[in-house]
Amino acid sequence: MTNSYMTKVLFVCLGNICRSPTAHALFQAEVNKANLQGRIFVDSAGTGDWHVGGQPDKRAQKTALEYGYDMSHLRARQVSVSDFSEFDYILGMDQQNLFDLKALKPSSYQGVLGLFLTESGIKEPDEVPDPYYGGELHFNHVIQLVEQAVRGLLDRIRKEHKL
Ligand code: 4NP
């Protein structure tokens, strides 16, 4: 259940089965730790539609579980123009995601649209690289980048929304 007083954050990657569900699960855990789950709503989506309705990639789930995060309840969906009426922060994982999101963005959008790492205060790298065609090392790299970034993102949102 969400309400209009919630600050809403959407993480976006290509398939919504590797990087953005990882960001979704880790940021949700950070929000819960701060007891802000009634104030911040978290979601994720993909620019592509190949995996709609599916669970996160098994390799991403396994890596997340090793770090203590269960993401088996998440299901992939495709980003849509209506997300721009809903979300205060729309954060792409890489430059291609951001390019695709900019193409969808209504000119009236007032929220923050940018790269997840950059908007979270990380100087470099600016992209969370796509691990889909990679191995275990790539999935570990994703989760390590995401773990660093979610802390900075929550600090920023707390400041900007006085939470
Ligand atoms: P994600 O990874 O964008 O981090 O979810 C991918 C998932 C699926 C595909 C590509 C990247 N794919 O080509 O199906």
Side-chain angles (χ1 to χ4, degrees):
M1 202 35 199
T2 69
N3 64 54
S4 54
Y5 302 109
M6 289 179 102
T7 300
K8 296 178 185 162
V9 182
L10 181 66
F11 298 104
V12 180
C13 61
L14 177 59
N16 192 209
I17 56 168
C18 299
R19 292 164 293 172
S20 63
T22 302
H24 181 163
L26 270 62
F27 188 63
Q28 184 70 65
E30 204 65 19
V31 166
N32 294 355
K33 249 194 287 175
N35 205 24
L36 287 169
Q37 58 271 42
R39 307 297 301 278
I40 300 176
F41 175 71
V42 188
D43 198 6
S44 61
T47 56
D49 66 357
W50 311 285
H51 300 281
V52 168
Q55 277 200 1
D57 184 284
K58 291 289 175 224
R59 299 163 297 172
Q61 286 198 55
K62 178 173 177 281
T63 308
L65 262 187
E66 285 165 7
Y67 282 74
Y69 305 94
D70 181 1
M71 45 189 208
S72 59
H73 60 291
L74 298 178
R75 294 294 177 274
R77 73 171 180 88
Q78 189 175 25
V79 71
S80 89
V81 70
S82 64
D83 287 315
F84 288 91
S85 316
E86 197 67 30
F87 287 91
D88 305 287
Y89 298 82
I90 299 182
L91 303 172
M93 296 293 134
D94 63 30
Q95 296 284 3
Q96 182 64 49
N97 305 149
L98 186 56
F99 180 86
D100 293 338
L101 287 165
K102 282 180 174 166
L104 199 62
K105 180 180 86 77
S107 55
S108 57
Y109 184 61
Q110 298 283 324
V112 174
L113 172 60
L115 287 173
F116 166 48
L117 296 183
T118 308
E119 298 299 331
S120 302
I122 292 191
K123 300 266 180 284
E124 59 179 32
D126 62 351
E127 300 188 309
V128 182
D130 185 349
Y132 190 67
Y133 295 105
E136 203 171 311
L137 276 177
H138 298 84
F139 282 88
N140 266 300
H141 183 52
V142 166
I143 206 153
Q144 284 170 16
L145 284 172
V146 169
E147 252 196 341
Q148 276 184 52
V150 291
R151 293 192 209 109
L153 181 62
L154 185 59
D155 286 347
R156 172 185 174 171
I157 292 175
R158 291 185 80 155
K159 280 196 194 99
E160 289 180 355
H161 294 267
K162 302 194 172 27
L163 295 171

